[in-house]
Amino acid sequence: MKVCKVLLRESVRQTDKAYTYKVPEELEDKVVSGSYVKVPFGFGNRKETALVISVSDSADDIGFDPKKLKQIDSLLDLYPVMNKDQLALIEPLKSRFLCTSGDVISMMVPSAVGTIAKAKATFVDITSRQQAEELLSSGKLRSSAHINMLEYLLSEGITERKKLLSIVNASDAQLRGLRDKGVIEFSTRMLTREEVDDVKETPVNESDESFRVVHELNDEQTVAFTAVKESIGKPQVFLLHGITGSGKTEVYLKCAGEVLDRGGCVIYLVPEISLTPQTVSWIRGRFGDLAAVMHSRLTDRQKYDEWDRIRRGQARIVVGPRSSIFAPVEDLKLIIIDEEHDTSYKSESFPKYNTRDIAILRMRLSSCPLILGSATPLVTSKFAADKGIYKLLKLNKRAARDAVLPEVTIVDMKEQVKEGYGDLLSGPLRVAMSQAFAKDQQVMLFLNRRGYSRTLVCSSCGEPAYCPNCSVAMTLHNSKRIAGRLLICHYCGYTIPCEEAVCRECEGTKFKRAGVGTQQLEEILKELYPDRKVLRMDQDTTMMPGAHESILTKFRNHEADILVGTQMIAKGHDFANVTVVGVLGADLISMSSDYKSSERGFELITQAAGRAGRGTDPGKVYLQSLRPDNPLLMYAAKQDYDAFYESEIHYREVMKLPPFKAVGEIVLSLPDEDMLVARAGDLQKYLKDFLSYQDSSLGFEFYGPVPAPIYELRGRFRYVFMIKSSKKSYLNEVYKQVMEDFDPNLYPLSFDNDAGGS
Ligand code: ADP
Ligand code: ZN
């Protein structure tokens, strides 16, 4: 008799253990480690999806009557859904991210497995065209998801539910909400073969720029390639630090090609935002069917198909966003993380994993090299490279012939205002723009709106209100419970009423919200350059799916001369014809309550500057600032990463921040503010007490509670506790103890052992 141990996909803490089942005779040669099965579970024998983790030939060692053993119900997929490397990851991931086995299974196995074969689907249609049109024009619809769905259905007709949701980016609840208004109805039927294959992958476009030319590596690239090649078969992290345009991609591709030639597999991670149709098509062009490309535009069916090709070894290079680190590749010989500093590598929902941590686990399990590549590595990565933990590979020159780094100028906006140019477009930037237009070249303008709207800046000098203890900008806090507004330091909890803020630069006492007006900018542009077409890309103009792409394509095709946008446009896009870049409100970029904001600010300015002069014409970059002597701007202007790093690592050391200490966050969220304050008090007392008993060698420090930077979210209020310690694993131990001692129903908590992004 064969028996097997399984883990439940929907496990909760109490059921998060291995259960033993009998394997029915007819499945004996099919059920193996990694099989996906249905099992009867609990008193009601409800059917649960489960993963087989081991199979044995006898029931001797299970310790109870084998006749009482329940038996597997059915096999959900003919092939195993996890290979042995993935199975080996379950335990380390659980302890690292304090999640259940089921959470790990959900991250590794696409949700479509086991259901895809049925190919039955729900369709959505409009009940009455007239009624729908009336509702749309009445202005009564408040939700943009509702409006988008109705508009789509009116123009496209009956649509599969999932397709509709993915196209307009709406939730099931929103769809049901629309049905409750009586304007749409659902129906269910089997899909035809054509419909299953519908929404095909963007066809490979074989024309010019979608294919990358294969280059002979230059000397620097060759050194990097050789180092990686020689460590194939050994676990080793490489930090490939190369300025923008230095040809890092070429190095990745050469290394990947080498591994593929040797019959191995590659995981190649890129930020989601870089997975444009162009990227997808040149990857396909270069690697053909050997590549599986995972991106957000794929339907569930397509995701499943790509995943299936990977697990069967048909696709041997996986290119995708952070979730592709879980890909079921068999003979992993190389992992690449491009733009390793990118915040998208940190998961923002539970489990809040950091992709690099998982990459390092996989690197050890498979004994293979891992390349972290960036023009602006994370301070923690550079620190590890300096310590010899990572091997540093440097590319100091731009790779394309004649391409040089742009000329960066910091413009003092206080002077510009005095000279009558206003605080949006400086004189030097205007001159450069006119010159570019005369040569029919393009211009990009960056505005920054993220994060800083919750901080205050000094009205006279532009300096933000800083915490005197922590040197981070304080967060504006507005609570119904407290009359008046407060400034709070997210790190140490230091709190003052807004009226008491004093500027540390000029001792000014008047503060205002910082910001750059998009609308005023557009008006000025129209006035100054009436013949030039402007495109705008920000949260508002990219609501509709595909909008982001279409704006970039228009700009690439030179249908506009100026692209105005937030940091979204800074990343990875290569526009050969852009020669002038303006960063408006450059100070604001680094101004946030998060200790990683300088790192991000430096990265963004470097990225923005890297957009200029990608072709043969040298670029010009203008950083407009109210505080031109801000060291961060000076380092960025000189593209001097090392100087930036020196000052930043010093700050981190003094403030005991990563890499010197691990920073963890426990967030308590409740719908009632009074209840929140009371329970946060209980937790504070407990944590203070608990941590005071710990050995001082563990390095615990404890702060809080303070209101979260986004205090009110979806009807809940949130308080944050910050714990520092010398190791991430100590933070995990604290949280495990908290979870044992506090009822999650009364104290809804979430935890992050790597707080503040990636
Ligand atoms: P990075 O990823 O470091 O920003 P890319 O890999 O995108 O840089 O390379 C920048 C440009 O240089 C690309 O247009 C690329 O085709 C070109 N390039 C890369 N390597 C070489 C080389 N060895 N010789 C000439 N051009 C190169
Ligand atoms: Zn502080």
Side-chain angles (χ1 to χ4, degrees), residues 477-506:
H477 179 68
N478 241 344
S479 161
K480 280 169 212 132
R481 298 178 64 252
I482 309 159
R485 297 185 309 169
L486 298 176
L487 280 167
I488 297 178
C489 169
H490 183 46
Y491 283 92
C492 70
Y494 178 79
T495 304
I496 48 170
C498 285
E499 313 80 72
E500 288 176 24
V502 178
C503 174
R504 70 171 183 186
E505 277 298 305
C506 73

PDB file of all heavy atoms in Angstrom, residues 477-506:
ATOM      1  N   HIS A 477       0.005  64.823  10.133  1.00  0.00           N
ATOM      2  CA  HIS A 477      -1.000  63.903  10.639  1.00  0.00           C
ATOM      3  C   HIS A 477      -2.262  64.656  11.006  1.00  0.00           C
ATOM      4  O   HIS A 477      -2.242  65.622  11.744  1.00  0.00           O
ATOM      5  CB  HIS A 477      -0.453  63.171  11.867  1.00  0.00           C
ATOM      6  CG  HIS A 477      -1.432  62.220  12.461  1.00  0.00           C
ATOM      7  ND1 HIS A 477      -1.822  61.080  11.794  1.00  0.00           N
ATOM      8  CD2 HIS A 477      -2.085  62.227  13.629  1.00  0.00           C
ATOM      9  CE1 HIS A 477      -2.688  60.431  12.542  1.00  0.00           C
ATOM     10  NE2 HIS A 477      -2.875  61.097  13.659  1.00  0.00           N
ATOM     11  N   ASN A 478      -3.365  64.187  10.463  1.00  0.00           N
ATOM     12  CA  ASN A 478      -4.653  64.821  10.656  1.00  0.00           C
ATOM     13  C   ASN A 478      -5.610  63.801  11.218  1.00  0.00           C
ATOM     14  O   ASN A 478      -6.046  62.913  10.517  1.00  0.00           O
ATOM     15  CB  ASN A 478      -5.188  65.237   9.285  1.00  0.00           C
ATOM     16  CG  ASN A 478      -5.384  66.713   9.216  1.00  0.00           C
ATOM     17  OD1 ASN A 478      -5.413  67.381  10.251  1.00  0.00           O
ATOM     18  ND2 ASN A 478      -5.512  67.229   8.005  1.00  0.00           N
ATOM     19  N   SER A 479      -5.936  63.894  12.471  1.00  0.00           N
ATOM     20  CA  SER A 479      -6.836  62.885  13.017  1.00  0.00           C
ATOM     21  C   SER A 479      -8.090  63.558  13.524  1.00  0.00           C
ATOM     22  O   SER A 479      -8.047  64.679  14.023  1.00  0.00           O
ATOM     23  CB  SER A 479      -6.141  62.148  14.149  1.00  0.00           C
ATOM     24  OG  SER A 479      -7.102  61.506  14.944  1.00  0.00           O
ATOM     25  N   LYS A 480      -9.209  62.857  13.399  1.00  0.00           N
ATOM     26  CA  LYS A 480     -10.456  63.418  13.899  1.00  0.00           C
ATOM     27  C   LYS A 480     -10.424  63.542  15.423  1.00  0.00           C
ATOM     28  O   LYS A 480     -11.087  64.370  16.017  1.00  0.00           O
ATOM     29  CB  LYS A 480     -11.632  62.531  13.469  1.00  0.00           C
ATOM     30  CG  LYS A 480     -12.053  62.776  12.040  1.00  0.00           C
ATOM     31  CD  LYS A 480     -13.038  61.696  11.569  1.00  0.00           C
ATOM     32  CE  LYS A 480     -12.851  61.446  10.078  1.00  0.00           C
ATOM     33  NZ  LYS A 480     -12.748  60.035   9.726  1.00  0.00           N
ATOM     34  N   ARG A 481      -9.612  62.663  16.033  1.00  0.00           N
ATOM     35  CA  ARG A 481      -9.581  62.648  17.488  1.00  0.00           C
ATOM     36  C   ARG A 481      -8.833  63.851  18.053  1.00  0.00           C
ATOM     37  O   ARG A 481      -9.069  64.285  19.156  1.00  0.00           O
ATOM     38  CB  ARG A 481      -8.888  61.378  17.993  1.00  0.00           C
ATOM     39  CG  ARG A 481      -9.592  60.115  17.597  1.00  0.00           C
ATOM     40  CD  ARG A 481      -8.829  58.901  18.088  1.00  0.00           C
ATOM     41  NE  ARG A 481      -8.779  58.851  19.550  1.00  0.00           N
ATOM     42  CZ  ARG A 481      -7.702  59.084  20.274  1.00  0.00           C
ATOM     43  NH1 ARG A 481      -6.589  59.402  19.696  1.00  0.00           N
ATOM     44  NH2 ARG A 481      -7.749  58.995  21.578  1.00  0.00           N
ATOM     45  N   ILE A 482      -7.848  64.323  17.266  1.00  0.00           N
ATOM     46  CA  ILE A 482      -7.006  65.388  17.788  1.00  0.00           C
ATOM     47  C   ILE A 482      -7.354  66.669  17.067  1.00  0.00           C
ATOM     48  O   ILE A 482      -7.347  66.719  15.850  1.00  0.00           O
ATOM     49  CB  ILE A 482      -5.522  65.068  17.523  1.00  0.00           C
ATOM     50  CG1 ILE A 482      -5.208  63.660  18.003  1.00  0.00           C
ATOM     51  CG2 ILE A 482      -4.617  66.101  18.148  1.00  0.00           C
ATOM     52  CD1 ILE A 482      -3.981  63.079  17.357  1.00  0.00           C
ATOM     53  N   ALA A 483      -7.650  67.713  17.828  1.00  0.00           N
ATOM     54  CA  ALA A 483      -7.925  68.991  17.184  1.00  0.00           C
ATOM     55  C   ALA A 483      -6.600  69.555  16.705  1.00  0.00           C
ATOM     56  O   ALA A 483      -5.597  69.475  17.398  1.00  0.00           O
ATOM     57  CB  ALA A 483      -8.580  69.928  18.187  1.00  0.00           C
ATOM     58  N   GLY A 484      -6.565  70.108  15.512  1.00  0.00           N
ATOM     59  CA  GLY A 484      -5.312  70.669  15.013  1.00  0.00           C
ATOM     60  C   GLY A 484      -4.469  69.620  14.351  1.00  0.00           C
ATOM     61  O   GLY A 484      -4.710  68.429  14.478  1.00  0.00           O
ATOM     62  N   ARG A 485      -3.470  70.095  13.622  1.00  0.00           N
ATOM     63  CA  ARG A 485      -2.651  69.156  12.874  1.00  0.00           C
ATOM     64  C   ARG A 485      -1.300  68.950  13.539  1.00  0.00           C
ATOM     65  O   ARG A 485      -0.752  69.861  14.148  1.00  0.00           O
ATOM     66  CB  ARG A 485      -2.465  69.670  11.451  1.00  0.00           C
ATOM     67  CG  ARG A 485      -3.790  69.747  10.717  1.00  0.00           C
ATOM     68  CD  ARG A 485      -3.595  70.142   9.291  1.00  0.00           C
ATOM     69  NE  ARG A 485      -2.763  71.349   9.176  1.00  0.00           N
ATOM     70  CZ  ARG A 485      -2.268  71.768   8.028  1.00  0.00           C
ATOM     71  NH1 ARG A 485      -2.502  71.102   6.931  1.00  0.00           N
ATOM     72  NH2 ARG A 485      -1.549  72.868   7.976  1.00  0.00           N
ATOM     73  N   LEU A 486      -0.774  67.748  13.382  1.00  0.00           N
ATOM     74  CA  LEU A 486       0.480  67.410  14.040  1.00  0.00           C
ATOM     75  C   LEU A 486       1.527  67.009  13.018  1.00  0.00           C
ATOM     76  O   LEU A 486       1.206  66.509  11.958  1.00  0.00           O
ATOM     77  CB  LEU A 486       0.267  66.216  14.986  1.00  0.00           C
ATOM     78  CG  LEU A 486      -0.701  66.398  16.145  1.00  0.00           C
ATOM     79  CD1 LEU A 486      -0.844  65.090  16.895  1.00  0.00           C
ATOM     80  CD2 LEU A 486      -0.217  67.498  17.065  1.00  0.00           C
ATOM     81  N   LEU A 487       2.767  67.218  13.380  1.00  0.00           N
ATOM     82  CA  LEU A 487       3.871  66.672  12.604  1.00  0.00           C
ATOM     83  C   LEU A 487       4.484  65.553  13.436  1.00  0.00           C
ATOM     84  O   LEU A 487       4.788  65.746  14.611  1.00  0.00           O
ATOM     85  CB  LEU A 487       4.921  67.746  12.329  1.00  0.00           C
ATOM     86  CG  LEU A 487       4.597  68.703  11.198  1.00  0.00           C
ATOM     87  CD1 LEU A 487       5.529  69.900  11.227  1.00  0.00           C
ATOM     88  CD2 LEU A 487       4.680  67.982   9.848  1.00  0.00           C
ATOM     89  N   ILE A 488       4.634  64.394  12.816  1.00  0.00           N
ATOM     90  CA  ILE A 488       5.118  63.239  13.562  1.00  0.00           C
ATOM     91  C   ILE A 488       6.301  62.611  12.848  1.00  0.00           C
ATOM     92  O   ILE A 488       6.295  62.476  11.621  1.00  0.00           O
ATOM     93  CB  ILE A 488       3.998  62.189  13.695  1.00  0.00           C
ATOM     94  CG1 ILE A 488       2.843  62.778  14.495  1.00  0.00           C
ATOM     95  CG2 ILE A 488       4.503  60.912  14.364  1.00  0.00           C
ATOM     96  CD1 ILE A 488       1.671  61.856  14.641  1.00  0.00           C
ATOM     97  N   CYS A 489       7.301  62.216  13.601  1.00  0.00           N
ATOM     98  CA  CYS A 489       8.404  61.468  13.006  1.00  0.00           C
ATOM     99  C   CYS A 489       8.037  59.999  13.017  1.00  0.00           C
ATOM    100  O   CYS A 489       7.739  59.420  14.052  1.00  0.00           O
ATOM    101  CB  CYS A 489       9.701  61.684  13.772  1.00  0.00           C
ATOM    102  SG  CYS A 489      10.974  60.524  13.227  1.00  0.00           S
ATOM    103  N   HIS A 490       8.072  59.418  11.839  1.00  0.00           N
ATOM    104  CA  HIS A 490       7.658  58.035  11.682  1.00  0.00           C
ATOM    105  C   HIS A 490       8.638  57.079  12.361  1.00  0.00           C
ATOM    106  O   HIS A 490       8.345  55.950  12.631  1.00  0.00           O
ATOM    107  CB  HIS A 490       7.562  57.739  10.188  1.00  0.00           C
ATOM    108  CG  HIS A 490       7.082  56.391   9.883  1.00  0.00           C
ATOM    109  ND1 HIS A 490       5.989  55.839  10.510  1.00  0.00           N
ATOM    110  CD2 HIS A 490       7.530  55.462   9.027  1.00  0.00           C
ATOM    111  CE1 HIS A 490       5.804  54.633  10.040  1.00  0.00           C
ATOM    112  NE2 HIS A 490       6.727  54.368   9.139  1.00  0.00           N
ATOM    113  N   TYR A 491       9.848  57.572  12.624  1.00  0.00           N
ATOM    114  CA  TYR A 491      10.854  56.681  13.217  1.00  0.00           C
ATOM    115  C   TYR A 491      10.884  56.698  14.723  1.00  0.00           C
ATOM    116  O   TYR A 491      10.837  55.648  15.355  1.00  0.00           O
ATOM    117  CB  TYR A 491      12.238  56.969  12.613  1.00  0.00           C
ATOM    118  CG  TYR A 491      12.266  56.352  11.264  1.00  0.00           C
ATOM    119  CD1 TYR A 491      11.913  57.066  10.139  1.00  0.00           C
ATOM    120  CD2 TYR A 491      12.495  54.989  11.144  1.00  0.00           C
ATOM    121  CE1 TYR A 491      11.833  56.460   8.909  1.00  0.00           C
ATOM    122  CE2 TYR A 491      12.415  54.372   9.916  1.00  0.00           C
ATOM    123  CZ  TYR A 491      12.086  55.108   8.804  1.00  0.00           C
ATOM    124  OH  TYR A 491      11.991  54.492   7.599  1.00  0.00           O
ATOM    125  N   CYS A 492      10.943  57.907  15.319  1.00  0.00           N
ATOM    126  CA  CYS A 492      11.108  57.905  16.771  1.00  0.00           C
ATOM    127  C   CYS A 492       9.843  58.343  17.490  1.00  0.00           C
ATOM    128  O   CYS A 492       9.775  58.302  18.706  1.00  0.00           O
ATOM    129  CB  CYS A 492      12.278  58.790  17.171  1.00  0.00           C
ATOM    130  SG  CYS A 492      11.957  60.525  16.926  1.00  0.00           S
ATOM    131  N   GLY A 493       8.850  58.805  16.728  1.00  0.00           N
ATOM    132  CA  GLY A 493       7.606  59.183  17.367  1.00  0.00           C
ATOM    133  C   GLY A 493       7.573  60.631  17.850  1.00  0.00           C
ATOM    134  O   GLY A 493       6.564  61.094  18.371  1.00  0.00           O
ATOM    135  N   TYR A 494       8.650  61.370  17.655  1.00  0.00           N
ATOM    136  CA  TYR A 494       8.698  62.780  18.044  1.00  0.00           C
ATOM    137  C   TYR A 494       7.524  63.534  17.399  1.00  0.00           C
ATOM    138  O   TYR A 494       7.288  63.423  16.203  1.00  0.00           O
ATOM    139  CB  TYR A 494      10.035  63.366  17.587  1.00  0.00           C
ATOM    140  CG  TYR A 494      10.241  64.836  17.874  1.00  0.00           C
ATOM    141  CD1 TYR A 494      10.614  65.260  19.143  1.00  0.00           C
ATOM    142  CD2 TYR A 494      10.084  65.784  16.867  1.00  0.00           C
ATOM    143  CE1 TYR A 494      10.807  66.605  19.409  1.00  0.00           C
ATOM    144  CE2 TYR A 494      10.280  67.137  17.125  1.00  0.00           C
ATOM    145  CZ  TYR A 494      10.640  67.545  18.407  1.00  0.00           C
ATOM    146  OH  TYR A 494      10.835  68.872  18.646  1.00  0.00           O
ATOM    147  N   THR A 495       6.782  64.275  18.211  1.00  0.00           N
ATOM    148  CA  THR A 495       5.550  64.904  17.724  1.00  0.00           C
ATOM    149  C   THR A 495       5.465  66.365  18.137  1.00  0.00           C
ATOM    150  O   THR A 495       5.730  66.696  19.294  1.00  0.00           O
ATOM    151  CB  THR A 495       4.322  64.173  18.324  1.00  0.00           C
ATOM    152  OG1 THR A 495       4.418  62.790  17.999  1.00  0.00           O
ATOM    153  CG2 THR A 495       3.028  64.715  17.770  1.00  0.00           C
ATOM    154  N   ILE A 496       5.110  67.244  17.199  1.00  0.00           N
ATOM    155  CA  ILE A 496       4.842  68.638  17.556  1.00  0.00           C
ATOM    156  C   ILE A 496       3.615  69.135  16.793  1.00  0.00           C
ATOM    157  O   ILE A 496       3.327  68.650  15.703  1.00  0.00           O
ATOM    158  CB  ILE A 496       6.024  69.587  17.205  1.00  0.00           C
ATOM    159  CG1 ILE A 496       6.511  69.327  15.761  1.00  0.00           C
ATOM    160  CG2 ILE A 496       7.167  69.458  18.198  1.00  0.00           C
ATOM    161  CD1 ILE A 496       7.483  70.366  15.253  1.00  0.00           C
ATOM    162  N   PRO A 497       2.901  70.120  17.368  1.00  0.00           N
ATOM    163  CA  PRO A 497       1.822  70.744  16.590  1.00  0.00           C
ATOM    164  C   PRO A 497       2.461  71.514  15.435  1.00  0.00           C
ATOM    165  O   PRO A 497       3.560  72.060  15.591  1.00  0.00           O
ATOM    166  CB  PRO A 497       1.182  71.733  17.574  1.00  0.00           C
ATOM    167  CG  PRO A 497       1.727  71.394  18.923  1.00  0.00           C
ATOM    168  CD  PRO A 497       3.023  70.665  18.726  1.00  0.00           C
ATOM    169  N   CYS A 498       1.776  71.580  14.297  1.00  0.00           N
ATOM    170  CA  CYS A 498       2.343  72.234  13.119  1.00  0.00           C
ATOM    171  C   CYS A 498       2.839  73.647  13.395  1.00  0.00           C
ATOM    172  O   CYS A 498       3.871  74.059  12.875  1.00  0.00           O
ATOM    173  CB  CYS A 498       1.295  72.311  12.015  1.00  0.00           C
ATOM    174  SG  CYS A 498       1.061  70.736  11.253  1.00  0.00           S
ATOM    175  N   GLU A 499       2.098  74.388  14.228  1.00  0.00           N
ATOM    176  CA  GLU A 499       2.464  75.792  14.458  1.00  0.00           C
ATOM    177  C   GLU A 499       3.833  75.921  15.111  1.00  0.00           C
ATOM    178  O   GLU A 499       4.475  76.954  15.048  1.00  0.00           O
ATOM    179  CB  GLU A 499       1.468  76.508  15.378  1.00  0.00           C
ATOM    180  CG  GLU A 499       0.000  76.311  15.061  1.00  0.00           C
ATOM    181  CD  GLU A 499      -0.518  74.984  15.582  1.00  0.00           C
ATOM    182  OE1 GLU A 499      -0.683  74.817  16.800  1.00  0.00           O
ATOM    183  OE2 GLU A 499      -0.729  74.091  14.726  1.00  0.00           O
ATOM    184  N   GLU A 500       4.290  74.853  15.757  1.00  0.00           N
ATOM    185  CA  GLU A 500       5.561  74.962  16.462  1.00  0.00           C
ATOM    186  C   GLU A 500       6.776  74.592  15.617  1.00  0.00           C
ATOM    187  O   GLU A 500       7.906  74.633  16.090  1.00  0.00           O
ATOM    188  CB  GLU A 500       5.528  74.106  17.734  1.00  0.00           C
ATOM    189  CG  GLU A 500       4.638  74.715  18.795  1.00  0.00           C
ATOM    190  CD  GLU A 500       4.507  73.824  20.027  1.00  0.00           C
ATOM    191  OE1 GLU A 500       5.413  73.002  20.273  1.00  0.00           O
ATOM    192  OE2 GLU A 500       3.473  73.947  20.701  1.00  0.00           O
ATOM    193  N   ALA A 501       6.535  74.228  14.371  1.00  0.00           N
ATOM    194  CA  ALA A 501       7.662  73.826  13.523  1.00  0.00           C
ATOM    195  C   ALA A 501       8.565  75.020  13.235  1.00  0.00           C
ATOM    196  O   ALA A 501       8.093  76.123  12.955  1.00  0.00           O
ATOM    197  CB  ALA A 501       7.137  73.246  12.216  1.00  0.00           C
ATOM    198  N   VAL A 502       9.863  74.789  13.320  1.00  0.00           N
ATOM    199  CA  VAL A 502      10.846  75.826  13.011  1.00  0.00           C
ATOM    200  C   VAL A 502      11.807  75.246  11.981  1.00  0.00           C
ATOM    201  O   VAL A 502      12.284  74.131  12.133  1.00  0.00           O
ATOM    202  CB  VAL A 502      11.640  76.242  14.268  1.00  0.00           C
ATOM    203  CG1 VAL A 502      12.695  77.289  13.898  1.00  0.00           C
ATOM    204  CG2 VAL A 502      10.705  76.782  15.338  1.00  0.00           C
ATOM    205  N   CYS A 503      12.071  76.001  10.914  1.00  0.00           N
ATOM    206  CA  CYS A 503      12.942  75.492   9.862  1.00  0.00           C
ATOM    207  C   CYS A 503      14.384  75.399  10.353  1.00  0.00           C
ATOM    208  O   CYS A 503      14.923  76.351  10.910  1.00  0.00           O
ATOM    209  CB  CYS A 503      12.866  76.414   8.650  1.00  0.00           C
ATOM    210  SG  CYS A 503      14.050  75.946   7.387  1.00  0.00           S
ATOM    211  N   ARG A 504      15.014  74.269  10.106  1.00  0.00           N
ATOM    212  CA  ARG A 504      16.369  74.104  10.639  1.00  0.00           C
ATOM    213  C   ARG A 504      17.408  74.863   9.803  1.00  0.00           C
ATOM    214  O   ARG A 504      18.520  75.082  10.235  1.00  0.00           O
ATOM    215  CB  ARG A 504      16.741  72.629  10.725  1.00  0.00           C
ATOM    216  CG  ARG A 504      16.950  71.977   9.369  1.00  0.00           C
ATOM    217  CD  ARG A 504      17.536  70.585   9.520  1.00  0.00           C
ATOM    218  NE  ARG A 504      17.791  70.037   8.194  1.00  0.00           N
ATOM    219  CZ  ARG A 504      18.191  68.802   7.967  1.00  0.00           C
ATOM    220  NH1 ARG A 504      18.360  67.968   8.973  1.00  0.00           N
ATOM    221  NH2 ARG A 504      18.415  68.385   6.735  1.00  0.00           N
ATOM    222  N   GLU A 505      17.011  75.299   8.610  1.00  0.00           N
ATOM    223  CA  GLU A 505      17.943  76.032   7.748  1.00  0.00           C
ATOM    224  C   GLU A 505      17.898  77.528   8.028  1.00  0.00           C
ATOM    225  O   GLU A 505      18.914  78.160   8.251  1.00  0.00           O
ATOM    226  CB  GLU A 505      17.581  75.815   6.275  1.00  0.00           C
ATOM    227  CG  GLU A 505      18.109  74.539   5.672  1.00  0.00           C
ATOM    228  CD  GLU A 505      19.631  74.485   5.690  1.00  0.00           C
ATOM    229  OE1 GLU A 505      20.268  75.420   5.173  1.00  0.00           O
ATOM    230  OE2 GLU A 505      20.166  73.497   6.239  1.00  0.00           O
ATOM    231  N   CYS A 506      16.658  78.098   7.994  1.00  0.00           N
ATOM    232  CA  CYS A 506      16.557  79.557   8.042  1.00  0.00           C
ATOM    233  C   CYS A 506      15.754  80.029   9.245  1.00  0.00           C
ATOM    234  O   CYS A 506      15.485  81.217   9.371  1.00  0.00           O
ATOM    235  CB  CYS A 506      15.929  80.079   6.755  1.00  0.00           C
ATOM    236  SG  CYS A 506      14.161  79.729   6.653  1.00  0.00           S
TER     237      CYS A 506
END
